[in-house]
Amino acid sequence: MDTTGNATRKTSELIRRFAPYFKKYKWVLVLDLFCASLTTVCELVLPLIVRFITGKGMEDMASLTVQVILSVGALYLVLRIIDTVANYYMASVGHVMGARIETDMRRDLFGHLQRLSYNYYDHTKIGQIMARITSDLFDVTEFAHHCPEEFFIAGLKIAVSFAILGSIYMPLTLIIFAVLPLMLLAAMFFNKRMRRAFKRSRNQIGELNAQVEDSLLGVRVVKSFTNEELEKEKFREGNQGFLNIKKQMYRYMALFQSSTRLFDGLMYITVVVAGALFMIYGKITAADFMAYLLYVTTLLTSIRRIVEFTEQFQRGMTGIERFLEIMDAPVDIEDKPGARALGQVKGAIAFDHVSFHYVGEEEMVLKDIVLQVSPGENVALVGPSGGGKTTLCNLIPRFYDVTGGRVLIDGQDVRDVTLQSLRAQIGVVQQEVYLFAGSVYDNIAYGRPGASREDVIRAAKQAGAHEFITQLSQGYDTDVGERGVRLSGGQKQRISIARVFLKNPPVLILDEATSALDNESERLVQRSLEELAKGRTTFTIAHRLTTIRNATLILVLTEDGIAERGTHEELMARQGLYFELYSMYTEKERQGEAHF
Ligand code: ADP
Ligand code: MG
């Protein structure tokens, strides 16, 4: 569950998990590697040509005719043309392959995010997810394309250079070979540290994202408390933290690069001095020495490229690791194997000795709830805040799964049926309305994608929303603004009710749907809700007790379970908790009205 963990996974595991993404692009990859080998061959031929010409010239200048020189030049030109074409392929198609892989991964990530349940989002910051789905995966494109190619080219060049160097003069080659392990050790030492630093910096970026998001979503609260300075201070900390991590990261990178530079120099000087010595003692010719130097250059550039690439490699690995952290988050609520689709239900809901606690919390929110609700019944839930009303309702559409007992819909355990078919039967209206970016029309149509325009308008009329919608500047096509900021609370709520009308489910959950509204809007929305509730099994969590007097069953839910149950008259006659709540409430209402 922890998506900000610092544990680093093994590179082999990351590669193994990443490799399947190449499967679709197998042939592109093969061709890419083929082009990579072509460019390598072209590059490796140059020293051979130089050696050939100088060697021939020294042997016998007369044999070095214009014709020989020109044909060697022509050969080289052809090779360079092949090299150019191959390079073009690698740069374009290879990169596009990387981008496609990135797209595939992003698709999978988003798909997985859609499957994850409330529980996951209760414990995860959206900003952290955003960082993963955008910037982390950018690093993967470069990596996906360059990783096989770079390793292949460099590996090939190193192997061929060594073979040629060996064939020119073995003893010198063995000396070079001895320096190589030192370089590898240094690389291994710094790689681990760089990776950790990359990971920390990525996590910090995620945190920063989360912070910005939090602050911007709450911008209206920030302004009302004039807490801009406080927000800036909070942000400064996170931002500074990021700088510190980056400093460390760059220090490792710099150390790593400098140390490889040092080895590089060491290798060169060894070759030059030892080679020159071998030359003056007549072990190798000047032409050999020259070719030798050129190949050592190729060898060193390849090694340097691998070294430079390790940085990109580690970035890619970090991206993949963070990708996997989400992909590996378990989907705790999903269809069990062989789950049946639930047909059109009548709407009987039962709680069979249900208990529940949230993941990571010790305390039971619901204990041994037993409840039978017949189709079309109107159940009202009342009780102190935090008593578990919302929690109880959330178990019906399986937003959370029970800890013990069963929740039944028309006699079937909700865990035995498909989520799709279950949730299609249940409409939820909450206090906080979420409208998506887009028009009023789109937001209502969200209740049943593909609905006809007539149906959408009918739903709006049923919800009592048609009138105000037609008065908006562009009617149904009016843009609602981000999260519906351009509409009033009552308007947003009526749009959300229209959505549920359009969905037309047999079971309804109304969770304090009117509590955020002013009196006038509340009256309008209340009327829409009563219209909506007709003929459906309804669970109403009401903050205004007067609105639930007609409920067929009232439950008083406290931390200890269902304290009382019955109709309004029965509960009033009992003179218990409900009586108390109701008296207190009506008293407050009266005073409120008096003030009004
Ligand atoms: P009500 O709707 O009756 O006000 P809730 O069902 O929202 O009460 O909450 C019941 C209890 O569960 C409260 O103590 C609350 O703090 C806790 N709770 C609610 N949602 C979560 C959650 N997502 N994770 C952990 N605890 C929660
Ligand atoms: Mg609640």
Side-chain angles (χ1 to χ4, degrees):
M1 191 57 62
D2 177 23
T3 51
T4 57
N6 273 313
T8 331
R9 300 196 202 201
K10 278 213 184 85
T11 306
S12 58
E13 187 202 341
L14 297 178
I15 304 253
R16 186 169 50 73
R17 297 284 303 273
F18 178 58
Y21 281 98
F22 280 103
K23 210 167 156 203
K24 252 165 80 184
Y25 309 105
K26 203 166 51 196
W27 293 111
V28 180
L29 185 64
V30 168
L31 203 55
D32 188 72
L33 293 181
F34 176 70
C35 287
S37 26
L38 279 184
T39 60
T40 313
V41 169
C42 295
E43 204 177 312
L44 287 171
V45 163
L46 184 65
L48 279 182
I49 292 177
V50 174
R51 185 187 183 209
F52 170 78
I53 293 178
T54 42
K56 213 163 174 61
M58 281 188 317
E59 241 169 54
D60 173 14
M61 199 54 98
S63 68
L64 196 61
T65 58
V66 173
Q67 205 189 349
V68 170
I69 293 175
L70 285 185
S71 36
V72 169
L75 171 73
Y76 188 60
L77 187 66
V78 170
L79 285 175
R80 281 314 284 254
I81 290 171
I82 294 176
D83 176 76
T84 308
V85 174
N87 247 314
Y88 174 78
Y89 180 86
M90 280 156 58
S92 65
V93 183
H95 268 123
V96 171
M97 176 190 75
R100 281 188 205 281
I101 287 178
E102 184 191 324
T103 309
D104 292 347
M105 290 172 79
R106 190 170 289 127
R107 175 202 60 207
D108 290 354
L109 195 60
F110 190 74
H112 192 69
L113 285 169
Q114 293 293 333
R115 287 173 64 209
L116 290 168
S117 71
Y118 273 40
N119 180 27
Y120 178 78
Y121 291 99
D122 286 349
H123 296 93
T124 313
K125 291 181 187 160
I126 302 296
Q128 279 282 3
I129 298 176
M130 299 293 284
R132 276 157 227 250
I133 212 156
T134 53
S135 47
D136 283 3
L137 286 182
F138 288 153
D139 291 337
V140 175
T141 282
E142 284 299 302
F143 168 81
H145 164 222
H146 288 295
C147 177
E149 192 179 288
E150 290 287 326
F151 278 120
F152 182 75
I153 295 183
L156 194 65
K157 272 190 194 159
I158 292 173
V160 175
S161 314
F162 261 120
I164 296 178
L165 287 173
S167 77
I168 298 176
Y169 191 57
M170 193 48 100
L172 190 52
T173 312
L174 287 178
I175 295 177
I176 302 177
F177 215 75
V179 187
L180 215 54
L182 284 177
M183 274 179 114
L184 281 178
L185 272 179
M188 268 155 56
F189 179 79
F190 285 112
N191 262 346
K192 238 202 256 151
R193 281 163 181 76
M194 272 186 345
R195 179 85 158 271
R196 260 188 246 134
F198 282 141
K199 182 122 194 259
R200 271 201 297 272
S201 100
R202 288 259 144 245
N203 280 341
Q204 186 69 17
I205 273 281
E207 279 304 298
L208 222 49
N209 266 353
Q211 215 176 349
V212 171
E213 188 193 277
D214 199 32
S215 176
L216 293 186
L217 282 180
V219 71
R220 290 162 182 85
V221 181
V222 173
K223 298 220 169 286
S224 77
F225 285 95
T226 51
N227 274 345
E228 288 92 341
E229 285 307 317
L230 182 71
E231 289 299 307
K232 267 158 65 179
E233 188 54 33
K234 277 199 294 190
F235 184 73
R236 201 190 63 81
E237 262 170 45
N239 207 13
Q240 188 65 32
F242 185 58
L243 175 66
N244 293 340
I245 289 168
K246 276 229 141 157
K247 274 191 201 153
Q248 195 188 32
M249 191 174 96
Y250 282 118
R251 209 179 58 235
Y252 282 134
M253 275 160 58
L255 274 172
F256 180 49
Q257 279 169 14
S258 317
S259 66
T260 44
R261 256 185 114 80
L262 185 66
F263 285 123
D264 214 78
L266 261 177
M267 201 116 105
Y268 251 117
I269 204 70
T270 313
V271 171
V272 172
V273 171
L277 287 175
F278 282 127
M279 190 170 65
I280 60 171
Y281 287 109
K283 301 284 183 196
I284 50 173
T285 66
D288 282 345
F289 183 49
M290 189 109 103
Y292 209 94
L293 280 182
L294 285 173
Y295 276 113
V296 169
T297 310
T298 312
L299 182 71
L300 286 179
T301 5
S302 311
I303 292 175
R304 215 177 299 139
R305 250 170 95 162
I306 287 201
V307 165
E308 276 160 19
F309 182 70
T310 38
E311 194 190 306
Q312 208 173 61
F313 179 81
Q314 297 302 351
R315 277 184 201 282
M317 282 291 140
T318 311
I320 293 171
E321 190 172 354
R322 286 173 47 94
F323 165 79
L324 289 178
E325 276 170 5
I326 295 187
M327 292 304 285
D328 289 350
V331 178
D332 54 349
I333 296 191
E334 61 184 337
D335 293 348
K336 70 178 199 190
R340 295 180 307 274
L342 191 60
Q344 178 68 37
V345 300
K346 292 200 181 66
I349 301 286
F351 281 68
D352 178 17
H353 298 282
V354 168
S355 60
F356 177 81
H357 70 82
Y358 286 97
V359 172
E361 308 278 328
E362 305 252 300
E363 208 177 333
M364 283 285 180
V365 177
L366 302 173
K367 286 175 224 121
D368 199 37
I369 303 288
V370 179
L371 180 64
Q372 296 270 0
V373 178
S374 318
E377 213 175 325
N378 194 341
V379 184
L381 290 155
V382 300
S385 170
K389 304 181 292 293
T390 300
T391 308
L392 186 141
C393 289
N394 279 342
L395 297 178
I396 305 171
R398 269 190 93 193
F399 290 146
Y400 297 92
D401 268 342
V402 296
T403 309
R406 298 183 300 164
V407 175
L408 307 162
I409 182 165
D410 274 16
Q412 299 190 59
D413 191 322
V414 290
R415 287 168 299 182
D416 291 341
V417 298
T418 62
L419 279 178
Q420 167 70 38
S421 67
L422 172 70
R423 291 182 183 163
Q425 317 272 347
I426 303 165
V428 185
V429 182
Q430 281 155 331
Q431 176 183 336
E432 279 173 51
V433 178
Y434 193 94
L435 296 188
F436 293 96
S439 65
V440 169
Y441 182 89
D442 296 338
N443 268 290
I444 298 176
Y446 200 81
R448 177 153 55 84
S452 69
R453 195 158 180 105
E454 290 77 60
D455 286 347
V456 170
I457 292 174
R458 188 179 320 120
K461 282 182 178 155
Q462 287 170 316
H466 180 72
E467 205 170 313
F468 87 78
I469 294 172
T470 46
Q471 280 165 10
L472 294 171
S473 60
Q474 265 127 29
Y476 278 87
D477 299 321
T478 309
D479 186 45
V480 299
E482 199 172 26
R483 275 174 296 282
V485 287
R486 298 208 196 115
L487 299 173
S488 78
Q491 291 172 334
K492 279 194 282 193
Q493 191 58 286
R494 275 175 284 162
I495 289 176
S496 89
I497 293 170
R499 232 185 228 169
V500 179
F501 262 114
L502 191 62
K503 182 177 177 179
N504 194 23
V507 179
L508 259 190
I509 295 170
L510 311 176
D511 189 350
E512 307 207 36
T514 60
S515 57
L517 306 178
D518 58 89
N519 285 346
E520 170 63 9
S521 308
E522 175 170 11
R523 205 174 44 74
L524 291 169
V525 170
Q526 187 59 39
R527 207 186 304 147
S528 312
L529 288 176
E530 278 161 21
E531 193 59 36
L532 182 62
K534 275 182 193 158
R536 306 176 205 264
T537 310
T538 308
F539 288 78
T540 308
I541 304 175
H543 74 125
R544 227 177 237 277
L545 296 187
T546 41
T547 59
I548 54 158
R549 286 181 55 163
N550 298 329
T552 50
L553 175 67
I554 295 172
L555 302 173
V556 183
L557 197 63
T558 68
E559 279 166 28
D560 300 318
I562 300 178
E564 289 175 12
R565 62 176 88 199
T567 61
H568 175 72
E569 285 71 29
E570 285 165 7
L571 293 180
M572 287 305 279
R574 237 180 103 149
Q575 304 223 331
L577 201 53
Y578 180 79
F579 175 81
E580 235 172 76
L581 284 171
Y582 194 82
S583 312
M584 232 159 59
Y585 178 76
T586 42
E587 179 63 23
K588 248 198 335 223
E589 281 283 283
R590 235 193 347 263
Q591 281 173 3
E593 259 163 47
H595 284 301
F596 194 52

